[in-house]
Amino acid sequence: MNTTQKFYLKLAEPCRENWFLPPQDPLGELSHFDMELRRFCFEHNQKVLLEIGDEKQELFLDPDIILILDEIPEKIDDLYRGKKNELDFPESRMIIYLEPRKEYWRIGCTWRKYGYSIEEKSFELETKQLFQTLKTFVKKILTQAVDKGYIQDREKTEFMKRMVKPSVG
């Protein structure tokens, strides 16, 4: 494959359905930031459009994105260091496997949908575009959470600092 595909994560319209119970932390193990971010994603749930090449999938802030949100900085860091990683969306029955290539500017991507059968597609992504898309997407979520009073701006800033890496490409 000689060309790279685009990777997009976009916030879409609000989701009015509540399939799950509100987030709880009965043992008090979550930080204020983690708990409030979960509350925000539950109370202000939105559809999220994931696109890779010609493939599209509708996800939701709750439960799909909130399950991986806190791990995104580490996932970017691992990929930057040449380690394989994945974005797992169990509620939507799909996994996106990411594997850095020898050419530092590319990442191999395998999109696997599972259920009654397994469907799989492979893509080549541009590293810089993937990282920028993930960072921008996370920033939008955190900005909305700050604007609606769930988390503080300083918490958003601290989280975003974890996503600052040297530029690639």
Side-chain angles (χ1 to χ4, degrees):
M1 198 176 296
N2 294 333
T3 61
T4 58
Q5 300 291 313
K6 296 293 184 189
F7 176 92
Y8 295 105
L9 269 174
K10 301 174 188 172
L11 292 171
E13 68 267 12
C15 175
R16 304 290 180 219
E17 300 293 327
N18 284 330
W19 297 288
F20 300 96
L21 294 174
Q24 298 178 6
D25 185 21
L27 300 177
E29 297 172 317
L30 297 174
S31 69
H32 171 268
F33 176 80
D34 291 333
M35 189 61 199
E36 290 303 302
L37 207 50
R38 287 174 189 222
R39 277 190 49 234
F40 167 76
C41 287
F42 177 79
E43 294 175 4
H44 298 278
N45 202 3
Q46 285 182 262
K47 291 181 182 179
V48 175
L49 182 60
L50 168 67
E51 293 182 47
I52 303 175
D54 59 349
E55 287 292 308
K56 295 180 182 181
Q57 175 76 35
E58 199 173 83
L59 303 170
F60 298 91
L61 281 181
D62 182 47
D64 298 303
I65 301 303
I66 196 61
L67 290 176
I68 66 162
L69 192 62
D70 192 51
E71 301 170 352
I72 290 177
E74 288 75 25
K75 290 180 183 291
I76 290 173
D77 190 52
D78 284 349
L79 291 168
Y80 179 77
R81 296 178 191 286
K83 297 179 185 176
K84 296 178 185 181
N85 219 309
E86 62 190 45
L87 301 174
D88 188 2
F89 303 99
E91 296 294 333
S92 292
R93 299 181 313 269
M94 62 177 254
I95 301 175
I96 298 172
Y97 297 97
L98 301 167
E99 182 177 355
R101 301 291 192 220
K102 288 181 183 178
E103 304 87 4
Y104 69 92
W105 56 272
R106 291 186 341 172
I107 291 181
C109 172
T110 302
W111 183 331
R112 181 178 290 164
K113 297 178 186 179
Y114 55 89
Y116 294 113
S117 63
I118 294 176
E119 181 184 336
E120 194 170 281
K121 274 199 164 181
S122 295
F123 303 92
E124 293 286 326
L125 306 176
E126 183 183 314
T127 303
K128 186 176 182 179
Q129 192 267 330
L130 172 67
F131 290 178
Q132 190 60 45
T133 297
L134 289 171
K135 290 176 184 180
T136 300
F137 180 72
V138 169
K139 186 175 182 178
K140 284 181 183 178
I141 294 169
L142 296 179
T143 299
Q144 285 184 10
V146 168
D147 292 347
K148 295 193 183 302
Y150 285 84
I151 61 173
Q152 297 175 6
D153 193 52
R154 125 187 107 67
E155 292 173 305
K156 170 189 158 190
T157 301
E158 286 300 311
F159 189 90
M160 292 306 297
K161 282 182 186 177
R162 295 173 42 204
M163 298 185 69
V164 175
K165 296 291 171 215
S167 63
V168 177

